[in-house]
Amino acid sequence: QVQLQESGPGLVKPSETLSLTCIVSGDSISRYHWSWIRQAAGKGLEWIGRIYTSGTAHYNPSLSSRVSMSVDTSKNQVSLKLTSVTAADTAVYYCARYYDSVASNWFDPWGQGALVTVSS
Amino acid sequence: DIQMTQSPSSLSASVGDRVTITCRASHSIRDHLNWYQWKLGAGPKLLIHAAYNLQSGVPSRFSGSGSGTDFTLSISSLQPEDFATYYCQQSYTTPYTFGQGTKLEIK
């Protein structure tokens, strides 16, 4: 059974880069696609982007100029980087397996989330 | 972006009750609608995919219906572990978007 665990600094200074890692256990990361989703306090869930096994990534246009995702198959990890952060990027960040079938797609499972606070 | 609107935003119910949560999309998304359950301290859990398909391991008291712009999630007989927040999500087109959530509380 695939399990995901997000890790990274809980505090990032404004204008710096947020970096998170999603450690995948229970299966090979190269078999699946992956997504990142975030939730700011009191706000809804926001899809950040997805990365396919091929390495091709698609991002939410609202973040695309600042975000990048990558996969490290040797470590079985997915990474997220968000540059030039502001207080508006303070949120719980989730990684999730992105299941893409012919008929539809969905996120399952999810990690438990990592709270990242942007503050000086 | 496709806007997803859930109603109600909160709901009080008792164990054994039947409840229904509604999700409306700003444009037709055919049946590309997923439902998740979220509890504090954990990531969301997939309940229903493609509008009405029960995810493996999810109790049969959960069911989904709808297509186009209007969808519902029903729980036939509430159990104590069902008190949580529920989100709908459209998977029709990127950027994928979520409803604002429905918090289900014990009456």
Side-chain angles (χ1 to χ4, degrees):
Chain A
Q1 182 176 345
V2 174
Q3 292 186 306
L4 291 70
Q5 177 67 59
E6 302 87 350
S7 67
L11 181 64
V12 181
K13 290 182 168 55
S15 80
E16 294 190 346
T17 296
L18 178 159
S19 296
L20 290 172
T21 297
C22 176
I23 302 167
V24 179
S25 59
D27 208 337
S28 171
I29 198 170
S30 60
R31 294 186 60 195
Y32 304 103
H33 314 306
W34 306 94
S35 259
W36 288 91
I37 299 121
R38 71 179 183 178
Q39 184 170 30
K43 297 199 172 183
L45 292 158
E46 179 181 28
W47 176 73
I48 299 171
R50 66 186 176 196
I51 183 165
Y52 285 99
T53 54
S54 63
T56 300
H58 303 103
Y59 305 122
N60 191 323
S62 67
L63 298 168
S64 61
S65 63
R66 299 192 293 128
V67 68
S68 64
M69 296 180 187
S70 62
V71 172
D72 186 336
T73 55
S74 67
K75 295 181 179 178
N76 230 40
Q77 295 177 350
V78 187
S79 295
L80 170 72
K81 291 189 187 300
L82 184 66
T83 63
S84 304
V85 298
T86 69
D89 295 310
T90 294
V92 175
Y93 287 76
Y94 297 99
C95 64
R97 183 174 60 181
Y98 172 67
Y99 190 85
D100 190 7
S101 75
V102 173
S104 191
N105 57 79
W106 55 85
F107 306 115
D108 178 67
W110 299 52
Q112 68 179 35
L115 173 62
V116 179
T117 301
V118 179
S119 175
S120 56
Chain B
D1 299 2
I2 295 178
Q3 305 303 314
M4 306 300 295
T5 303
Q6 286 181 235
S7 61
S9 55
S10 64
L11 177 59
S12 294
S14 301
V15 172
D17 284 354
R18 176 182 178 86
V19 298
T20 298
I21 298 168
T22 297
C23 179
R24 174 165 289 176
S26 60
H27 300 84
S28 175
I29 57 172
R30 298 193 299 181
D31 62 354
H32 294 262
L33 191 283
N34 305 318
W35 289 98
Y36 301 88
Q37 177 192 67
W38 179 74
K39 295 181 180 179
L40 192 64
K45 174 187 174 183
L46 178 69
L47 299 175
I48 303 279
H49 59 88
Y52 54 84
N53 294 281
L54 195 67
Q55 175 66 352
S56 176
V58 174
S60 59
R61 63 181 179 272
F62 290 91
S63 63
S65 65
S67 67
T69 60
D70 295 310
F71 301 86
T72 61
L73 172 69
S74 296
I75 312 172
S76 61
S77 178
L78 277 172
Q79 299 301 300
E81 61 268 28
D82 300 337
F83 292 95
T85 299
Y86 293 85
Y87 293 95
C88 62
Q89 175 244 329
Q90 65 84 13
S91 59
Y92 182 69
T93 187
T94 59
Y96 301 129
T97 48
F98 294 80
Q100 81 279 15
T102 295
K103 187 173 184 179
L104 179 54
E105 299 174 304
I106 300 175
K107 184 182 287 184

